[in-house]
Amino acid sequence: MSTDLDFGRYARPELGRLFQALNLDVAYRRGHGDHLTPESSDGAETADQVLDLVGGAGSSLFGHNHPALVAVARRCLDEQLPFNAQASIRPGAAVLAAKLSALVRATTGVDYVVTLGSTGAEAVEAAVKHAVVERRRRLGALREELERSLRRLHRDGLADLPCGSGPAAGRPCGEVVGAAVEKVTELLRAEPVLVSLRDAFHGKTTAAGTLTHGSNVPEDLHVPGPRRVRLADWTPEAVVAALDDRLVEICTVTLDADGVPQSRARNLSPVAACFAEPVQGEAGVREVPTETLAALRRLADRHDAALVFDEIQCGMGRTGTFLASEPSGVVADYYLLSKSLGGGLAKISAMMVAADRYVADFGRHHTSTFAEDDFSALVATAALELYESHRDRIVATGAELRDRLARVAARWPEAVAEVRGRGLLIGVEFRLPQPESALLRAVFDAESLGFLIAGRLLHAHRVRVMPTLSAPTTVRVQPSALLAPEDVERAVAAFDDVAGLLAKGDYATLLSHLAVPPTGAWRPRQHVPSPPRPRRARHDADVPHVVFLANLDNAATVRSLAPELAEWSDSRCAAALDRMRGELDPFEVVRRRVTSATGREADVSVVAVPFTAAQAVDALRAGHRPWLSRTVLDAVELGVALGGDVVGLGGYTSIVTGAGRDVIEHEVRVTSGNSLTAACAYDLLQRHLSSSRSGARRVGLVGGIGNIGAVMADLVAPHCDSLVLVGRPGSGRRLAAVAKRMAHLVDVSVAEDLDALRDCPIVVSATNAADPVILPTHLAADREVLVCDLAVPGDAHPAVANLPNVTLVSGGRVRLPNGQTPHFPGITLPPGIVYSCLAETILLGLEPAAASPSYGGLSVDGVLSALELAGRHGFHPTRITAADVSTTPWMVRDSTGLTTLPEVGI
């Protein structure tokens, strides 16, 4: 759908990408009450109705397009009320402000001056600004008073008279008051301090973002704002005394009835305001205890600061009372409202300041183009009237819904931690699952759980939810006051289904909505610079630690890595991988200990790099190599953080980093493991060539310009009768350069057609292709043919193995010494056998002084060095054919010919 593509390209690239990955990329055409009508893939409206429990993150207290509010909106348009009438009396704003003041006064007994805006964050910014101005005016008035007092003392000849009592007793009056003037002046110059609570959410603009405890927001997205102190300890005593060290004592002087100067101490503070949400909506719907709110009132009074209750989400009746703070009995100085105030139709907010604290000229200088328009004000006034008529229903419906959800939690305590909230502001906190497989543990992280639950509810039950922003394991439930009984049943059944699937560990069903092919073009996630590298993890100093990076061979690898998804077909696995591409970070799959035939040990971590070979090829073709390389480098960072002494690059992780050249490390050794891969093939070919008759030693090499293929050409050339370098169309010039290098050793030719292999009784293949390139038709049918396939995934089509005259050997496999059979999920080889690139990584761990033979381009010397290293520790080449798995000692060539290394570890 073009709107999906445009949204992801021109509006919200990251959200568009994320929604596609989670199968939440849905557009809605119509909204009525608590229901939304989705748009189909062809742009038409569907008959499907989605129950909307997101409720505009609290904005839709009266549902979508409530008839009474729509009527007001239509009337405004029909009567052609001016939207832009700035610098005039705004009747709608006046009515709304008076109505708001009256509603809050009914609880607090205080009149309010109301500043209207367009968004909740704007209201927070206005409150910060007003509180800072209020503090400055108060300190300014105090300084003015002290300066007048000091002039009076000098005029009356009392400046040098000592104070008769008080904390400044004995000090000259002028000196005491002068010191007070200086301290007040310093406080006026100092940056004001704002106070907020742990886990607070007040918005994402600069000052509001400073007050917000956004632990799930990248650090570099926080723009420095006002000075802020966050209160982590909510106990009343800790709250009240939290900023005592910021208090500044001054002394003032007054004359008693006898004209004797007396001193008195008072405290001043840099604190301008204390902010709190009575119910922290985005922190997982958590009520701030009454005792903490009361302590905040005392803290604000202690510092002569404003107490600000941010009721943008929890106020305006959503919890059953107009102010969520009303049951606490604590009265604030400022109240902030938005969201439900607009009735789901208007963008509007209100900052309400107690009239006796309001700075009169604030409203003259704090202006906003779109504030106070009659359209929004009249819709908001109608919304207030709806609240008054629906108050009892909000309480009753909210109590019923919460009680029913609490029963779900009681039924599935393994899945649901708690149901919290009041009225129609409810949060359902889910426990983070702990699947057996590392892959699913990576999928179900704290940031993703709520979105995965949302996907299941949407696609299986047509119920729409979203996690809270700062506590994404909690799902928000914020329906309208009009929620019907049948919709309560529908919502409860949906939550019961999800909780049951989580409790039973039925992840294949829970995640089934991800196993659907995505639509639209995929774009990689934009790179975010990494924070400074942490110290490497410490490990047992006597046991080296190696880390092996491996991408997924193909979609079927998903089932190997996550047996919980065993029922998924290859096509479903492929769809899920395509949908989630770029979402998962590299993760440690397993850690095992391997012992050498010499008795040395190494701990081996396998780290999954979450893309398949096919996805790597597609990304390279689409110009996304930087994303591939960056993903591998992130895996290297993880390997270093895990304490790896050696990092091995398996499969495409080596290819996309230029055989490891892009990996810049100085504390760890890096290897592609390709030298031992070539050594395995060399061992097999030496045996075969030495026993082949003349004329049967013609070798076809596919992939001769690759890292492994090029060194294989150097290794094989001296021992064969002729060599054919075969590549894809267009590779002839590069292959000719390889051929020229060894023309003095063997009769070598170049071909750009795989049919050239029909003349070759020996075929070696080591391409980077994601799909098979050697078909049965490419091979001779009238003679015995040996095919050594070094590629992962394999270059030879599976049908090649069924040819009666062909022996297909999956090369590059090594058996571990002494019968060890550690299980490495994702590596689907017979027990005790590993890929040679993994084996080389382990061998480097076993010999800390050995240089990596496979960093960058390969050499014959490096291959022979890897072979000798493997033989010394009992790692031996293994041939895997359709009929047999066989392991033999390494063969080496010396002055007497081919000899066998000792059978160590077999």
Side-chain angles (χ1 to χ4, degrees), residues 103 114 119 264 283 285 370 640 659 663 681 758 794 807:
L103 279 167
V114 181
T119 69
R264 179 183 303 169
V285 190
F370 297 114
V640 173
V663 181
R758 291 198 191 102
T807 301

Side-chain angles (χ1 to χ4, degrees), residues 126-214:
V128 169
K129 184 175 178 181
H130 189 280
V132 170
V133 171
E134 183 190 351
R135 171 184 170 275
R136 287 174 180 160
R137 293 287 175 91
R138 186 170 59 251
L139 288 174
L142 176 60
R143 183 177 65 180
E144 193 175 64
E145 178 188 339
L146 289 170
E147 287 174 339
R148 287 173 59 83
S149 176
L150 183 58
R151 290 197 298 270
R152 184 180 297 111
L153 288 171
H154 281 289
R155 184 198 65 186
D156 297 342
L158 302 175
D160 295 328
L161 195 66
C163 293
S165 65
R171 292 174 56 198
C173 294
E175 177 186 305
V176 171
V177 176
V181 170
E182 289 180 4
K183 287 184 177 181
V184 172
T185 301
E186 288 176 7
L187 275 174
L188 275 167
R189 290 173 181 158
E191 189 178 358
V193 173
L194 304 173
V195 178
S196 64
L197 293 177
R198 180 191 71 240
D199 299 326
F201 184 91
H202 296 286
K204 297 183 177 180
T205 49
T206 300
T210 297
L211 295 168
T212 293
H213 189 184

Side-chain angles (χ1 to χ4, degrees), residues 59 117 251 382 802:
S59 300
C251 289
N802 298 325

Side-chain angles (χ1 to χ4, degrees), residues 698-706 708-717 720 722-743 746-757 759-760 762-767:
R698 180 174 175 81
V699 176
L701 177 60
V702 184
I705 56 178
I708 297 176
V711 78
M712 285 306 305
D714 291 331
L715 288 164
V716 171
C720 63
S722 59
L723 179 63
V724 184
L725 303 178
V726 185
R728 60 179 179 268
S731 62
R733 188 164 58 87
R734 296 175 66 190
L735 288 171
V738 178
K740 184 178 179 180
R741 191 176 71 231
M742 60 194 61
V746 68
D747 176 19
V748 58
S749 59
V750 169
E752 295 185 4
D753 187 342
L754 286 165
D755 287 342
L757 297 177
D759 293 330
C760 302
I762 301 171
V763 175
V764 182
S765 190
T767 79

Side-chain angles (χ1 to χ4, degrees), residues 403-677:
D403 178 65
R404 296 290 302 281
L405 290 172
R407 289 185 219 169
V408 171
R411 183 180 179 189
W412 306 110
E414 311 94 327
V416 183
E418 190 178 10
V419 176
R420 296 183 292 268
R422 189 160 30 109
L424 294 173
L425 176 55
I426 299 172
V428 180
E429 182 184 357
F430 286 87
R431 300 187 192 280
L432 195 63
Q434 295 298 324
E436 289 295 323
S437 66
L439 172 58
L440 288 188
R441 288 197 299 274
V443 170
F444 284 106
D445 65 13
E447 292 297 317
S448 301
L449 176 61
F451 290 106
L452 296 170
I453 289 170
R456 170 66 185 176
L457 291 178
L458 178 63
H459 291 283
H461 300 279
R462 311 310 283 164
V463 172
R464 183 170 181 261
V465 300
M466 279 293 154
T468 56
L469 291 180
S470 304
T473 58
T474 298
V475 170
R476 68 173 83 239
V477 181
Q478 294 177 280
S480 83
L482 309 176
L483 188 69
E486 59 268 25
D487 286 331
V488 172
E489 295 294 334
R490 181 176 171 185
V492 171
F495 273 92
D496 187 70
D497 167 67
V498 162
L501 293 175
L502 283 166
K504 298 170 188 175
D506 187 355
Y507 304 119
T509 302
L510 183 66
L511 300 176
S512 60
H513 63 282
L514 299 180
V516 178
T519 58
W522 176 80
R523 289 181 301 277
R525 182 166 50 182
Q526 190 178 69
H527 171 59
V528 177
S530 303
R533 175 181 283 184
R535 288 180 175 272
R536 293 174 61 204
R538 300 178 66 87
H539 58 77
D540 185 344
D542 295 329
V543 181
H545 186 192
V546 304
V547 178
F548 182 71
L549 314 185
N551 61 276
L552 282 63
D553 294 348
N554 49 49
T557 308
V558 167
R559 293 192 297 273
S560 174
L561 287 173
E564 301 97 326
L565 304 179
E567 68 185 59
W568 281 15
S569 64
D570 284 359
S571 61
R572 295 182 74 195
C573 290
L577 286 173
D578 282 342
R579 183 171 289 282
M580 293 290 287
R581 178 169 27 170
E583 283 308 302
L584 290 181
D585 293 325
F587 59 92
E588 185 179 22
V589 176
V590 73
R591 187 176 299 197
R592 298 282 186 254
R593 181 163 289 188
V594 172
T595 304
S596 159
T598 67
R600 296 182 187 178
E601 294 179 317
D603 286 332
V604 183
S605 290
V606 174
V607 167
V609 184
F611 57 74
T612 65
Q615 288 175 332
V617 171
D618 288 344
L620 289 170
R621 290 171 180 165
H624 296 317
R625 186 187 189 104
W627 169 75
L628 290 168
S629 178
R630 185 68 254 172
T631 303
V632 176
L633 294 179
D634 287 344
V636 172
E637 289 291 328
L638 174 59
V640 173
L642 291 172
D645 302 296
V646 180
V647 173
L649 305 172
Y652 270 80
T653 69
S654 167
I655 295 165
V656 303
T657 55
R661 295 181 187 90
D662 293 347
V663 181
I664 311 300
E665 295 294 335
H666 70 282
E667 292 185 315
V668 302
R669 287 167 292 160
V670 177
T671 178
S672 67
N674 288 339
S675 288
L676 194 59
T677 301

Side-chain angles (χ1 to χ4, degrees), residues 240-324:
V240 173
L243 288 98
D244 280 358
D245 60 339
R246 309 290 180 103
L247 292 171
V248 176
E249 184 180 89
I250 66 168
C251 289
T252 59
V253 175
T254 57
L255 299 179
D256 63 16
D258 298 324
V260 177
Q262 309 294 338
S263 65
R264 179 183 303 169
R266 65 176 291 185
N267 287 326
L268 303 178
S269 172
V271 178
C274 303
F275 283 76
E277 308 153 271
V279 181
Q280 293 185 324
E282 299 306 334
V285 190
R286 296 183 182 276
E287 290 208 44
V288 177
T290 294
E291 297 79 7
T292 301
L293 295 178
L296 283 169
R297 177 71 273 175
R298 291 171 58 197
L299 174 67
D301 292 343
R302 193 182 188 99
H303 291 265
D304 205 7
L307 177 60
V308 184
F309 279 171
D310 178 346
E311 303 221 9
I312 288 167
Q313 183 167 192
C314 61
M316 176 56 203
R318 181 157 280 281
T319 60
T321 53
F322 186 72
L323 297 175

